[in-house]
mmCIF file of all heavy atoms in Angstrom:
data_model
loop_
_atom_site.group_PDB
_atom_site.id
_atom_site.type_symbol
_atom_site.label_atom_id
_atom_site.label_comp_id
_atom_site.label_asym_id
_atom_site.label_seq_id
_atom_site.Cartn_x
_atom_site.Cartn_y
_atom_site.Cartn_z
ATOM 1 N N SER A 1 0.849 -1.187 -0.010
ATOM 2 C CA SER A 1 0.003 0.008 -0.007
ATOM 3 C C SER A 1 0.877 1.247 -0.014
ATOM 4 O O SER A 1 0.637 2.176 -0.781
ATOM 5 C CB SER A 1 -0.912 -0.022 1.223
ATOM 6 O OG SER A 1 -1.702 1.124 1.276
ATOM 7 N N ILE A 2 1.854 1.287 0.836
ATOM 8 C CA ILE A 2 2.774 2.416 0.907
ATOM 9 C C ILE A 2 3.544 2.591 -0.397
ATOM 10 O O ILE A 2 3.656 3.715 -0.932
ATOM 11 C CB ILE A 2 3.720 2.294 2.110
ATOM 12 C CG1 ILE A 2 2.945 2.452 3.401
ATOM 13 C CG2 ILE A 2 4.856 3.313 2.038
ATOM 14 C CD1 ILE A 2 3.738 2.035 4.662
ATOM 15 N N CYS A 3 4.038 1.511 -0.933
ATOM 16 C CA CYS A 3 4.786 1.592 -2.219
ATOM 17 C C CYS A 3 3.892 2.069 -3.331
ATOM 18 O O CYS A 3 4.320 2.879 -4.162
ATOM 19 C CB CYS A 3 5.383 0.214 -2.565
ATOM 20 S SG CYS A 3 6.731 -0.290 -1.502
ATOM 21 N N SER A 4 2.676 1.598 -3.378
ATOM 22 C CA SER A 4 1.719 2.057 -4.412
ATOM 23 C C SER A 4 1.418 3.529 -4.314
ATOM 24 O O SER A 4 1.285 4.214 -5.326
ATOM 25 C CB SER A 4 0.444 1.209 -4.359
ATOM 26 O OG SER A 4 0.718 -0.120 -4.676
ATOM 27 N N LEU A 5 1.323 4.010 -3.077
ATOM 28 C CA LEU A 5 1.096 5.423 -2.871
ATOM 29 C C LEU A 5 2.273 6.246 -3.373
ATOM 30 O O LEU A 5 2.131 7.285 -4.025
ATOM 31 C CB LEU A 5 0.842 5.731 -1.398
ATOM 32 C CG LEU A 5 0.564 7.165 -1.068
ATOM 33 C CD1 LEU A 5 -0.666 7.665 -1.830
ATOM 34 C CD2 LEU A 5 0.377 7.355 0.438
ATOM 35 N N PHE A 6 3.500 5.764 -3.117
ATOM 36 C CA PHE A 6 4.705 6.437 -3.607
ATOM 37 C C PHE A 6 4.750 6.447 -5.143
ATOM 38 O O PHE A 6 5.116 7.457 -5.735
ATOM 39 C CB PHE A 6 5.984 5.833 -3.018
ATOM 40 C CG PHE A 6 6.276 6.253 -1.636
ATOM 41 C CD1 PHE A 6 6.574 5.293 -0.663
ATOM 42 C CD2 PHE A 6 6.267 7.592 -1.243
ATOM 43 C CE1 PHE A 6 6.856 5.661 0.641
ATOM 44 C CE2 PHE A 6 6.527 7.958 0.040
ATOM 45 C CZ PHE A 6 6.847 7.014 1.012
ATOM 46 N N VAL A 7 4.364 5.364 -5.742
ATOM 47 C CA VAL A 7 4.313 5.285 -7.222
ATOM 48 C C VAL A 7 3.307 6.302 -7.753
ATOM 49 O O VAL A 7 3.583 7.035 -8.679
ATOM 50 C CB VAL A 7 4.020 3.860 -7.728
ATOM 51 C CG1 VAL A 7 3.687 3.873 -9.211
ATOM 52 C CG2 VAL A 7 5.151 2.926 -7.390
ATOM 53 N N PHE A 8 2.152 6.355 -7.098
ATOM 54 C CA PHE A 8 1.125 7.330 -7.521
ATOM 55 C C PHE A 8 1.675 8.770 -7.410
ATOM 56 O O PHE A 8 1.502 9.601 -8.340
ATOM 57 C CB PHE A 8 -0.130 7.154 -6.706
ATOM 58 C CG PHE A 8 -1.160 8.240 -6.908
ATOM 59 C CD1 PHE A 8 -1.905 8.285 -8.061
ATOM 60 C CD2 PHE A 8 -1.346 9.251 -5.957
ATOM 61 C CE1 PHE A 8 -2.848 9.284 -8.276
ATOM 62 C CE2 PHE A 8 -2.264 10.240 -6.178
ATOM 63 C CZ PHE A 8 -3.011 10.248 -7.334
ATOM 64 N N LEU A 9 2.310 9.073 -6.285
ATOM 65 C CA LEU A 9 2.869 10.402 -6.078
ATOM 66 C C LEU A 9 3.964 10.704 -7.105
ATOM 67 O O LEU A 9 4.075 11.861 -7.561
ATOM 68 C CB LEU A 9 3.363 10.565 -4.664
ATOM 69 C CG LEU A 9 2.273 10.533 -3.551
ATOM 70 C CD1 LEU A 9 2.911 10.575 -2.192
ATOM 71 C CD2 LEU A 9 1.277 11.674 -3.748
ATOM 72 N N ALA A 10 4.758 9.709 -7.430
ATOM 73 C CA ALA A 10 5.797 9.874 -8.474
ATOM 74 C C ALA A 10 5.152 10.191 -9.814
ATOM 75 O O ALA A 10 5.619 11.055 -10.538
ATOM 76 C CB ALA A 10 6.667 8.626 -8.587
ATOM 77 N N PHE A 11 4.041 9.485 -10.137
ATOM 78 C CA PHE A 11 3.364 9.724 -11.393
ATOM 79 C C PHE A 11 2.775 11.136 -11.435
ATOM 80 O O PHE A 11 2.853 11.822 -12.452
ATOM 81 C CB PHE A 11 2.239 8.744 -11.612
ATOM 82 C CG PHE A 11 2.689 7.376 -12.065
ATOM 83 C CD1 PHE A 11 4.037 6.971 -12.064
ATOM 84 C CD2 PHE A 11 1.750 6.453 -12.522
ATOM 85 C CE1 PHE A 11 4.435 5.729 -12.506
ATOM 86 C CE2 PHE A 11 2.153 5.221 -12.970
ATOM 87 C CZ PHE A 11 3.473 4.832 -12.944
ATOM 88 N N VAL A 12 2.239 11.585 -10.320
ATOM 89 C CA VAL A 12 1.702 12.965 -10.232
ATOM 90 C C VAL A 12 2.837 13.974 -10.452
ATOM 91 O O VAL A 12 2.692 14.965 -11.133
ATOM 92 C CB VAL A 12 0.966 13.195 -8.899
ATOM 93 C CG1 VAL A 12 0.615 14.664 -8.696
ATOM 94 C CG2 VAL A 12 -0.300 12.322 -8.817
ATOM 95 N N SER A 13 3.987 13.738 -9.835
ATOM 96 C CA SER A 13 5.129 14.611 -9.993
ATOM 97 C C SER A 13 5.624 14.649 -11.433
ATOM 98 O O SER A 13 5.926 15.709 -11.962
ATOM 99 C CB SER A 13 6.283 14.184 -9.047
ATOM 100 O OG SER A 13 5.867 14.317 -7.718
ATOM 101 N N ILE A 14 5.692 13.501 -12.039
ATOM 102 C CA ILE A 14 6.117 13.431 -13.463
ATOM 103 C C ILE A 14 5.122 14.231 -14.317
ATOM 104 O O ILE A 14 5.525 14.977 -15.164
ATOM 105 C CB ILE A 14 6.216 11.958 -13.930
ATOM 106 C CG1 ILE A 14 7.412 11.257 -13.250
ATOM 107 C CG2 ILE A 14 6.343 11.876 -15.442
ATOM 108 C CD1 ILE A 14 7.435 9.770 -13.432
ATOM 109 N N LYS A 15 3.842 14.031 -14.071
ATOM 110 C CA LYS A 15 2.799 14.732 -14.825
ATOM 111 C C LYS A 15 2.957 16.244 -14.691
ATOM 112 O O LYS A 15 2.778 16.996 -15.652
ATOM 113 C CB LYS A 15 1.396 14.287 -14.340
ATOM 114 C CG LYS A 15 0.262 14.907 -15.052
ATOM 115 C CD LYS A 15 0.033 14.211 -16.337
ATOM 116 C CE LYS A 15 -1.244 14.704 -16.966
ATOM 117 N NZ LYS A 15 -1.283 14.474 -18.385
ATOM 118 N N LYS A 16 3.301 16.667 -13.481
ATOM 119 C CA LYS A 16 3.425 18.100 -13.215
ATOM 120 C C LYS A 16 4.713 18.734 -13.757
ATOM 121 O O LYS A 16 4.687 19.801 -14.318
ATOM 122 C CB LYS A 16 3.313 18.358 -11.710
ATOM 123 C CG LYS A 16 3.298 19.786 -11.336
ATOM 124 C CD LYS A 16 2.992 19.994 -9.848
ATOM 125 C CE LYS A 16 2.908 21.475 -9.557
ATOM 126 N NZ LYS A 16 2.608 21.716 -8.156
ATOM 127 N N PHE A 17 5.865 18.038 -13.586
ATOM 128 C CA PHE A 17 7.141 18.666 -13.861
ATOM 129 C C PHE A 17 7.829 18.197 -15.154
ATOM 130 O O PHE A 17 8.729 18.903 -15.598
ATOM 131 C CB PHE A 17 8.099 18.421 -12.640
ATOM 132 C CG PHE A 17 7.611 19.086 -11.406
ATOM 133 C CD1 PHE A 17 7.176 18.305 -10.329
ATOM 134 C CD2 PHE A 17 7.536 20.475 -11.269
ATOM 135 C CE1 PHE A 17 6.734 18.906 -9.175
ATOM 136 C CE2 PHE A 17 7.125 21.085 -10.135
ATOM 137 C CZ PHE A 17 6.694 20.295 -9.067
ATOM 138 N N TYR A 18 7.494 17.032 -15.662
ATOM 139 C CA TYR A 18 8.225 16.478 -16.788
ATOM 140 C C TYR A 18 7.275 16.146 -17.951
ATOM 141 O O TYR A 18 7.264 15.025 -18.427
ATOM 142 C CB TYR A 18 8.998 15.226 -16.371
ATOM 143 C CG TYR A 18 9.983 15.465 -15.286
ATOM 144 C CD1 TYR A 18 9.737 15.050 -14.001
ATOM 145 C CD2 TYR A 18 11.140 16.152 -15.561
ATOM 146 C CE1 TYR A 18 10.614 15.311 -12.997
ATOM 147 C CE2 TYR A 18 12.075 16.422 -14.545
ATOM 148 C CZ TYR A 18 11.786 15.977 -13.243
ATOM 149 O OH TYR A 18 12.694 16.237 -12.239
ATOM 150 N N LYS A 19 6.548 17.090 -18.418
ATOM 151 C CA LYS A 19 5.563 16.853 -19.447
ATOM 152 C C LYS A 19 6.177 16.397 -20.762
ATOM 153 O O LYS A 19 5.534 15.698 -21.496
ATOM 154 C CB LYS A 19 4.727 18.084 -19.664
ATOM 155 C CG LYS A 19 3.866 18.440 -18.454
ATOM 156 C CD LYS A 19 2.984 19.619 -18.701
ATOM 157 C CE LYS A 19 2.322 19.934 -17.382
ATOM 158 N NZ LYS A 19 0.975 20.212 -17.433
ATOM 159 N N LYS A 20 7.425 16.747 -21.013
ATOM 160 C CA LYS A 20 8.074 16.321 -22.251
ATOM 161 C C LYS A 20 8.344 14.802 -22.260
ATOM 162 O O LYS A 20 8.539 14.224 -23.330
ATOM 163 C CB LYS A 20 9.354 17.097 -22.474
ATOM 164 C CG LYS A 20 9.141 18.559 -22.810
ATOM 165 C CD LYS A 20 10.449 19.212 -23.056
ATOM 166 C CE LYS A 20 10.190 20.705 -23.370
ATOM 167 N NZ LYS A 20 11.430 21.443 -23.618
ATOM 168 N N ALA A 21 8.407 14.189 -21.096
ATOM 169 C CA ALA A 21 8.679 12.768 -20.998
ATOM 170 C C ALA A 21 7.443 11.928 -21.336
ATOM 171 O O ALA A 21 7.565 10.738 -21.489
ATOM 172 C CB ALA A 21 9.206 12.414 -19.617
ATOM 173 N N GLU A 22 6.292 12.550 -21.354
ATOM 174 C CA GLU A 22 5.057 11.806 -21.555
ATOM 175 C C GLU A 22 4.807 11.502 -23.011
ATOM 176 O O GLU A 22 5.028 12.289 -23.895
ATOM 177 C CB GLU A 22 3.876 12.622 -21.037
ATOM 178 C CG GLU A 22 3.891 12.805 -19.556
ATOM 179 C CD GLU A 22 2.668 13.618 -19.099
ATOM 180 O OE1 GLU A 22 1.767 13.873 -19.861
ATOM 181 O OE2 GLU A 22 2.670 13.977 -17.913
ATOM 182 N N PHE A 23 4.339 10.287 -23.248
ATOM 183 C CA PHE A 23 3.893 9.860 -24.575
ATOM 184 C C PHE A 23 2.917 8.691 -24.335
ATOM 185 O O PHE A 23 2.806 8.187 -23.234
ATOM 186 C CB PHE A 23 5.068 9.423 -25.476
ATOM 187 C CG PHE A 23 6.035 8.476 -24.825
ATOM 188 C CD1 PHE A 23 5.824 7.079 -24.827
ATOM 189 C CD2 PHE A 23 7.149 8.956 -24.137
ATOM 190 C CE1 PHE A 23 6.703 6.264 -24.190
ATOM 191 C CE2 PHE A 23 8.038 8.137 -23.537
ATOM 192 C CZ PHE A 23 7.836 6.740 -23.547
ATOM 193 N N THR A 24 2.146 8.358 -25.335
ATOM 194 C CA THR A 24 1.139 7.288 -25.203
ATOM 195 C C THR A 24 1.847 5.987 -24.751
ATOM 196 O O THR A 24 2.822 5.583 -25.370
ATOM 197 C CB THR A 24 0.419 7.028 -26.545
ATOM 198 O OG1 THR A 24 -0.221 8.261 -26.944
ATOM 199 C CG2 THR A 24 -0.617 5.972 -26.399
ATOM 200 N N GLY A 25 1.389 5.400 -23.692
ATOM 201 C CA GLY A 25 1.974 4.178 -23.165
ATOM 202 C C GLY A 25 3.014 4.422 -22.055
ATOM 203 O O GLY A 25 3.496 3.505 -21.468
ATOM 204 N N PHE A 26 3.348 5.678 -21.815
ATOM 205 C CA PHE A 26 4.389 6.016 -20.822
ATOM 206 C C PHE A 26 4.029 5.524 -19.457
ATOM 207 O O PHE A 26 4.796 4.820 -18.796
ATOM 208 C CB PHE A 26 4.587 7.550 -20.854
ATOM 209 C CG PHE A 26 5.582 8.024 -19.846
ATOM 210 C CD1 PHE A 26 6.964 7.833 -20.060
ATOM 211 C CD2 PHE A 26 5.205 8.695 -18.696
ATOM 212 C CE1 PHE A 26 7.900 8.290 -19.155
ATOM 213 C CE2 PHE A 26 6.105 9.166 -17.795
ATOM 214 C CZ PHE A 26 7.459 8.958 -18.005
ATOM 215 N N TYR A 27 2.825 5.915 -18.973
ATOM 216 C CA TYR A 27 2.436 5.513 -17.603
ATOM 217 C C TYR A 27 2.156 4.012 -17.514
ATOM 218 O O TYR A 27 2.395 3.422 -16.458
ATOM 219 C CB TYR A 27 1.238 6.354 -17.144
ATOM 220 C CG TYR A 27 1.632 7.800 -16.888
ATOM 221 C CD1 TYR A 27 1.247 8.787 -17.754
ATOM 222 C CD2 TYR A 27 2.411 8.136 -15.796
ATOM 223 C CE1 TYR A 27 1.602 10.095 -17.527
ATOM 224 C CE2 TYR A 27 2.782 9.450 -15.571
ATOM 225 C CZ TYR A 27 2.374 10.446 -16.450
ATOM 226 O OH TYR A 27 2.743 11.726 -16.219
ATOM 227 N N THR A 28 1.640 3.414 -18.576
ATOM 228 C CA THR A 28 1.405 1.995 -18.521
ATOM 229 C C THR A 28 2.715 1.234 -18.377
ATOM 230 O O THR A 28 2.825 0.320 -17.521
ATOM 231 C CB THR A 28 0.714 1.545 -19.838
ATOM 232 O OG1 THR A 28 -0.523 2.240 -19.981
ATOM 233 C CG2 THR A 28 0.442 0.024 -19.818
ATOM 234 N N GLY A 29 3.712 1.593 -19.148
ATOM 235 C CA GLY A 29 5.013 0.968 -19.025
ATOM 236 C C GLY A 29 5.635 1.177 -17.667
ATOM 237 O O GLY A 29 6.138 0.235 -17.060
ATOM 238 N N LEU A 30 5.572 2.420 -17.191
ATOM 239 C CA LEU A 30 6.131 2.680 -15.841
ATOM 240 C C LEU A 30 5.394 1.948 -14.740
ATOM 241 O O LEU A 30 6.025 1.442 -13.790
ATOM 242 C CB LEU A 30 6.090 4.190 -15.522
ATOM 243 C CG LEU A 30 7.134 5.055 -16.172
ATOM 244 C CD1 LEU A 30 6.979 6.489 -15.700
ATOM 245 C CD2 LEU A 30 8.526 4.557 -15.887
ATOM 246 N N TYR A 31 4.061 1.818 -14.856
ATOM 247 C CA TYR A 31 3.309 1.097 -13.864
ATOM 248 C C TYR A 31 3.723 -0.386 -13.859
ATOM 249 O O TYR A 31 3.930 -0.951 -12.787
ATOM 250 C CB TYR A 31 1.825 1.216 -14.104
ATOM 251 C CG TYR A 31 1.027 0.376 -13.142
ATOM 252 C CD1 TYR A 31 0.905 0.749 -11.817
ATOM 253 C CD2 TYR A 31 0.495 -0.820 -13.534
ATOM 254 C CE1 TYR A 31 0.214 -0.033 -10.912
ATOM 255 C CE2 TYR A 31 -0.211 -1.627 -12.659
ATOM 256 C CZ TYR A 31 -0.332 -1.224 -11.335
ATOM 257 O OH TYR A 31 -0.987 -2.015 -10.446
ATOM 258 N N LEU A 32 3.794 -0.977 -15.023
ATOM 259 C CA LEU A 32 4.186 -2.402 -15.096
ATOM 260 C C LEU A 32 5.580 -2.599 -14.469
ATOM 261 O O LEU A 32 5.785 -3.581 -13.721
ATOM 262 C CB LEU A 32 4.154 -2.905 -16.531
ATOM 263 C CG LEU A 32 2.762 -3.079 -17.164
ATOM 264 C CD1 LEU A 32 2.885 -3.257 -18.622
ATOM 265 C CD2 LEU A 32 2.017 -4.157 -16.459
ATOM 266 N N ILE A 33 6.489 -1.762 -14.769
ATOM 267 C CA ILE A 33 7.850 -1.862 -14.239
ATOM 268 C C ILE A 33 7.830 -1.679 -12.689
ATOM 269 O O ILE A 33 8.395 -2.471 -11.938
ATOM 270 C CB ILE A 33 8.808 -0.826 -14.846
ATOM 271 C CG1 ILE A 33 9.020 -1.197 -16.342
ATOM 272 C CG2 ILE A 33 10.136 -0.792 -14.138
ATOM 273 C CD1 ILE A 33 9.684 -0.087 -17.143
ATOM 274 N N SER A 34 7.154 -0.633 -12.236
ATOM 275 C CA SER A 34 7.144 -0.350 -10.802
ATOM 276 C C SER A 34 6.431 -1.453 -10.043
ATOM 277 O O SER A 34 6.897 -1.865 -8.963
ATOM 278 C CB SER A 34 6.493 1.012 -10.509
ATOM 279 O OG SER A 34 5.128 1.036 -10.888
ATOM 280 N N TYR A 35 5.319 -1.976 -10.566
ATOM 281 C CA TYR A 35 4.610 -3.060 -9.880
ATOM 282 C C TYR A 35 5.462 -4.323 -9.839
ATOM 283 O O TYR A 35 5.527 -5.006 -8.791
ATOM 284 C CB TYR A 35 3.275 -3.349 -10.586
ATOM 285 C CG TYR A 35 2.476 -4.403 -9.862
ATOM 286 C CD1 TYR A 35 1.934 -4.130 -8.595
ATOM 287 C CD2 TYR A 35 2.322 -5.658 -10.404
ATOM 288 C CE1 TYR A 35 1.208 -5.091 -7.941
ATOM 289 C CE2 TYR A 35 1.585 -6.632 -9.709
ATOM 290 C CZ TYR A 35 1.018 -6.338 -8.478
ATOM 291 O OH TYR A 35 0.327 -7.298 -7.816
ATOM 292 N N GLY A 36 6.142 -4.610 -10.939
ATOM 293 C CA GLY A 36 7.041 -5.743 -10.923
ATOM 294 C C GLY A 36 8.142 -5.631 -9.899
ATOM 295 O O GLY A 36 8.431 -6.609 -9.179
ATOM 296 N N ILE A 37 8.726 -4.477 -9.779
ATOM 297 C CA ILE A 37 9.777 -4.240 -8.788
ATOM 298 C C ILE A 37 9.245 -4.359 -7.356
ATOM 299 O O ILE A 37 9.842 -4.992 -6.479
ATOM 300 C CB ILE A 37 10.481 -2.887 -9.016
ATOM 301 C CG1 ILE A 37 11.254 -2.914 -10.333
ATOM 302 C CG2 ILE A 37 11.348 -2.482 -7.822
ATOM 303 C CD1 ILE A 37 11.751 -1.571 -10.763
ATOM 304 N N ILE A 38 8.052 -3.766 -7.127
ATOM 305 C CA ILE A 38 7.467 -3.858 -5.795
ATOM 306 C C ILE A 38 7.214 -5.309 -5.405
ATOM 307 O O ILE A 38 7.533 -5.752 -4.299
ATOM 308 C CB ILE A 38 6.147 -3.035 -5.742
ATOM 309 C CG1 ILE A 38 6.451 -1.547 -5.825
ATOM 310 C CG2 ILE A 38 5.345 -3.374 -4.488
ATOM 311 C CD1 ILE A 38 5.235 -0.693 -6.056
ATOM 312 N N ARG A 39 6.667 -6.086 -6.304
ATOM 313 C CA ARG A 39 6.398 -7.498 -6.019
ATOM 314 C C ARG A 39 7.678 -8.280 -5.777
ATOM 315 O O ARG A 39 7.740 -9.139 -4.914
ATOM 316 C CB ARG A 39 5.603 -8.163 -7.166
ATOM 317 C CG ARG A 39 4.152 -7.713 -7.257
ATOM 318 C CD ARG A 39 3.336 -8.114 -6.042
ATOM 319 N NE ARG A 39 3.293 -9.527 -5.752
ATOM 320 C CZ ARG A 39 2.310 -10.351 -6.057
ATOM 321 N NH1 ARG A 39 1.239 -9.901 -6.680
ATOM 322 N NH2 ARG A 39 2.363 -11.633 -5.758
ATOM 323 N N LEU A 40 8.722 -8.011 -6.564
ATOM 324 C CA LEU A 40 9.983 -8.701 -6.369
ATOM 325 C C LEU A 40 10.547 -8.417 -4.982
ATOM 326 O O LEU A 40 11.036 -9.301 -4.296
ATOM 327 C CB LEU A 40 11.015 -8.231 -7.420
ATOM 328 C CG LEU A 40 11.032 -8.942 -8.740
ATOM 329 C CD1 LEU A 40 12.005 -8.249 -9.694
ATOM 330 C CD2 LEU A 40 11.401 -10.376 -8.632
ATOM 331 N N LEU A 41 10.445 -7.163 -4.575
ATOM 332 C CA LEU A 41 11.025 -6.782 -3.280
ATOM 333 C C LEU A 41 10.193 -7.206 -2.112
ATOM 334 O O LEU A 41 10.738 -7.503 -1.004
ATOM 335 C CB LEU A 41 11.190 -5.244 -3.223
ATOM 336 C CG LEU A 41 12.213 -4.670 -4.234
ATOM 337 C CD1 LEU A 41 12.207 -3.141 -4.182
ATOM 338 C CD2 LEU A 41 13.586 -5.232 -3.977
ATOM 339 N N LEU A 42 8.843 -7.323 -2.242
ATOM 340 C CA LEU A 42 8.007 -7.579 -1.099
ATOM 341 C C LEU A 42 7.503 -9.048 -0.955
ATOM 342 O O LEU A 42 6.903 -9.349 0.041
ATOM 343 C CB LEU A 42 6.789 -6.656 -1.144
ATOM 344 C CG LEU A 42 7.067 -5.166 -1.012
ATOM 345 C CD1 LEU A 42 5.772 -4.384 -1.050
ATOM 346 C CD2 LEU A 42 7.819 -4.857 0.277
ATOM 347 N N GLU A 43 7.763 -9.840 -1.972
ATOM 348 C CA GLU A 43 7.168 -11.181 -1.952
ATOM 349 C C GLU A 43 7.605 -11.959 -0.697
ATOM 350 O O GLU A 43 6.807 -12.727 -0.145
ATOM 351 C CB GLU A 43 7.560 -11.930 -3.225
ATOM 352 C CG GLU A 43 6.936 -13.300 -3.317
ATOM 353 C CD GLU A 43 5.420 -13.294 -3.359
ATOM 354 O OE1 GLU A 43 4.784 -12.269 -3.724
ATOM 355 O OE2 GLU A 43 4.796 -14.332 -3.014
ATOM 356 N N HIS A 44 8.811 -11.759 -0.255
ATOM 357 C CA HIS A 44 9.276 -12.501 0.930
ATOM 358 C C HIS A 44 8.532 -12.147 2.213
ATOM 359 O O HIS A 44 8.620 -12.852 3.206
ATOM 360 C CB HIS A 44 10.783 -12.296 1.131
ATOM 361 C CG HIS A 44 11.145 -10.930 1.564
ATOM 362 N ND1 HIS A 44 11.213 -9.860 0.686
ATOM 363 C CD2 HIS A 44 11.426 -10.435 2.798
ATOM 364 C CE1 HIS A 44 11.548 -8.788 1.380
ATOM 365 N NE2 HIS A 44 11.675 -9.119 2.649
ATOM 366 N N THR A 45 7.787 -11.028 2.225
ATOM 367 C CA THR A 45 7.033 -10.627 3.416
ATOM 368 C C THR A 45 5.629 -11.253 3.487
ATOM 369 O O THR A 45 4.946 -11.102 4.507
ATOM 370 C CB THR A 45 6.890 -9.087 3.473
ATOM 371 O OG1 THR A 45 6.119 -8.617 2.377
ATOM 372 C CG2 THR A 45 8.263 -8.403 3.475
#
């Protein structure tokens, strides 16, 4: 839950400050990567 909130806040920050980095599929790709990393790190818990 905490990690997902941080990812959401990161996405909001990217949306606000780095608009040139956005393109179709940008957030989908980032979400899949971030979710995969979160699961890798937390599965042992």
Side-chain angles (χ1 to χ4, degrees):
S1 179
I2 291 168
C3 289
S4 296
L5 181 61
F6 282 131
V7 169
F8 172 73
L9 294 175
F11 282 13
V12 170
S13 297
I14 290 169
K15 181 81 173 159
K16 185 173 182 179
F17 296 112
Y18 301 105
K19 294 183 186 224
K20 290 183 181 179
E22 292 180 10
F23 48 87
T24 301
F26 178 74
Y27 290 107
T28 302
L30 282 184
Y31 175 74
L32 289 168
I33 293 168
S34 64
Y35 183 69
I37 291 170
I38 290 169
R39 288 296 301 259
L40 275 174
L41 295 175
L42 296 180
E43 184 61 23
H44 70 280
T45 64

